Amino acid sequence: MKTLTELTPQQHHDLRITDDCAILFAQQQNIMNLRVTEVSQAACCMPIFYVRNSQNGQWVLTGFTSFEQGSNLFIKQGQWTALHTPANMQTFPFFLMASPDNPQQYTIGIDQTHPAFSNTSGQRIFEANGKASLHLSRVKTLLEADIKNDLRTQEFNQYIHQLGLLRPVTILVHYQDGSTPSLSGLYTIDEDKLQSLDKETLFTLHQKGYLAPIQSLLMSLFQLNALIKKHNQLQTLTPIKNIKLEVSKTTAA
């Protein structure tokens, strides 16, 4: 687990971030965390699944970017090619952390040991007068909005789990060389359970603004076909013949 240090102009006046740090971060992520506020946009270009945080068991919304770990099919020639850029990619390598002076407040933290930081090259984090650079100011605005978005995402995740709307799904990948690895630990919306909800519950989902992201989650699964096409365009990867989704008949515990 990374150790965060509060970012201050006094300690980090000369610190810089490498120009391609967000790309270097994303290119190794075959799933990328999303907020519920991003789901409708992300669903236009990538499949979206739930996974469970192995440390605390919490539900995490993720954009699925590759069938193979350590790779990301939305990065091509050092450029991000998807229509939507996840918020955690836009803010990397900065994070929210509890303020050392007041644990009830948030501040910006960094992992000083990460190779995204340099004292000699890249974008300056602070201007010569100690003020935040334009990039840091933009990141700060995004991180401040992320406090509300994170809370809203947690509430959304907990509510649909309480309704029993999450169902485990396994992706069986059939490669042309005959290998058939399976990708498990993924969850999607139980469409049958959704359709069986009573009118009162559906109305509550509508009032909370949850129906739109739920529908976007379901529609995003069609992006798996586009992801196969991206995969097969790369000569360095074994071509995929087809995939099969195995959806469990039981909902997530």
Side-chain angles (χ1 to χ4, degrees):
M1 181 179 292
K2 58 182 174 287
T3 301
L4 297 181
T5 301
E6 182 181 16
L7 179 69
T8 66
Q10 293 77 22
Q11 281 186 287
H12 307 107
H13 182 268
D14 296 322
L15 203 61
R16 301 168 181 260
I17 54 171
T18 57
D19 295 331
D20 57 353
C21 63
I23 294 296
L24 294 176
F25 158 72
Q27 70 181 8
Q28 298 179 342
Q29 311 293 319
N30 72 308
I31 57 172
M32 300 189 70
N33 291 2
L34 298 172
R35 303 302 191 208
V36 66
T37 48
E38 300 180 85
V39 165
S40 296
Q41 294 170 293
C44 295
C45 52
M46 64 183 67
I48 300 173
F49 292 100
Y50 271 98
V51 300
R52 240 180 172 155
N53 186 308
S54 59
Q55 295 178 338
N56 56 28
Q58 290 186 349
W59 295 102
V60 182
L61 273 169
T62 62
F64 189 77
T65 67
S66 178
F67 298 99
E68 301 187 6
Q69 290 189 356
S71 67
N72 189 322
L73 294 172
F74 291 99
I75 293 178
K76 185 176 182 181
Q77 296 179 345
Q79 299 293 321
W80 179 255
T81 62
L83 295 174
H84 175 70
T85 306
N88 69 338
M89 183 177 170
Q90 296 183 54
T91 56
F92 185 83
F94 304 101
F95 303 89
L96 283 176
M97 63 174 286
S99 172
D101 299 324
N102 185 352
Q104 302 302 316
Q105 295 183 348
Y106 290 97
T107 186
I108 296 177
I110 61 171
D111 176 7
Q112 296 181 115
T113 64
H114 197 281
F117 295 104
S118 169
N119 287 315
T120 58
S121 63
Q123 302 179 58
R124 292 187 63 94
I125 298 176
F126 294 101
E127 303 293 351
N129 58 7
K131 290 185 177 181
S133 65
L134 289 176
H135 179 74
L136 181 59
S137 296
R138 176 177 173 274
V139 167
K140 183 179 180 181
T141 300
L142 289 172
L143 287 174
E144 288 173 347
D146 205 36
I147 296 174
K148 294 181 179 179
N149 292 338
D150 184 51
L151 180 60
R152 185 175 179 185
T153 301
Q154 290 182 36
E155 292 173 346
F156 173 75
N157 296 349
Q158 291 171 2
Y159 193 74
I160 64 172
H161 177 238
Q162 290 171 0
L163 292 178
L165 291 180
L166 295 180
R167 178 180 285 188
V169 59
T170 299
I171 302 177
L172 293 178
V173 185
H174 295 265
Y175 288 97
Q176 286 188 6
D177 64 3
S179 59
T180 56
S182 62
L183 305 176
S184 58
L186 305 172
Y187 297 80
T188 188
I189 298 295
D190 186 335
E191 193 167 5
D192 293 335
K193 185 67 177 290
L194 177 65
Q195 293 177 352
S196 69
L197 294 177
D198 56 59
K199 292 182 180 179
E200 290 76 12
T201 303
L202 286 172
F203 182 68
T204 300
L205 285 171
H206 171 69
Q207 280 188 315
K208 289 178 174 291
Y210 290 171
L211 281 179
I214 286 174
Q215 292 296 335
S216 293
L217 276 161
L218 287 168
M219 293 300 294
S220 77
L221 298 183
F222 290 104
Q223 299 296 341
L224 283 166
N225 294 320
L227 205 61
I228 293 172
K229 185 176 180 180
K230 283 181 174 292
H231 177 102
N232 289 342
Q233 288 174 343
L234 296 178
Q235 296 182 353
T236 56
L237 300 177
T238 303
I240 295 175
K241 289 173 59 178
N242 57 68
I243 63 171
K244 180 181 179 182
L245 290 184
E246 292 188 343
V247 181
S248 172
K249 294 181 180 180
T250 59
T251 56

